[in-house]
Amino acid sequence: MLYAIIAEDTPNSLDKRMAARPAHLERLTALQDQGKLILAGPFPAVDSNDPGPAGFSGSLIVAEFTDLAAAKTWADADPFVAAGVYSNVIVKPFRKTLP
């Protein structure tokens, strides 16, 4: 089943985000290589694809996991959690309708 992982960043966490980004992307790439990643990306803090020093306000990941517990376990182990980038992470079942 698909799960949406919706994370909110702590204020002024851009430096922490950039430092932990390689490890974060490595985990996402592993999901992609397994054919389980549907989409992933950050929410810019301002209305721009490149928010510069404004940074990001959070992230969205949609991926396939065996169950909700597995999705939560995976989300809790994210390097952005360990680095203090994320202040809050919500994991919900997701049903893709379109496209």
Side-chain angles (χ1 to χ4, degrees), residues 16-59:
K16 292 177 184 178
R17 177 183 271 272
M18 298 314 292
R21 189 170 188 262
H24 172 77
L25 290 178
E26 184 177 322
R27 294 179 82 237
L28 290 171
T29 300
L31 276 181
Q32 183 177 22
D33 291 347
Q34 296 166 20
K36 295 181 177 183
L37 183 66
I38 304 303
L39 65 89
F43 299 117
V46 295
D47 191 11
S48 173
N49 280 329
D50 181 6
F56 301 91
S57 63
S59 301

Side-chain angles (χ1 to χ4, degrees), residues 5 9 25 27 30-31 38 40 43-44 51 53 56-57 60 62 70 74-75 85-86 90 93 96 98:
I5 300 168
D9 283 16
L25 290 178
R27 294 179 82 237
L31 276 181
I38 304 303
F43 299 117
F56 301 91
S57 63
L60 171 65
V62 178
W74 188 91
V85 175
Y86 292 158
I90 298 169
K96 182 180 175 186
L98 294 172

Side-chain angles (χ1 to χ4, degrees), residues 73-87:
T73 297
W74 188 91
D76 289 344
D78 194 295
F80 281 177
V81 172
V85 175
Y86 292 158
S87 62

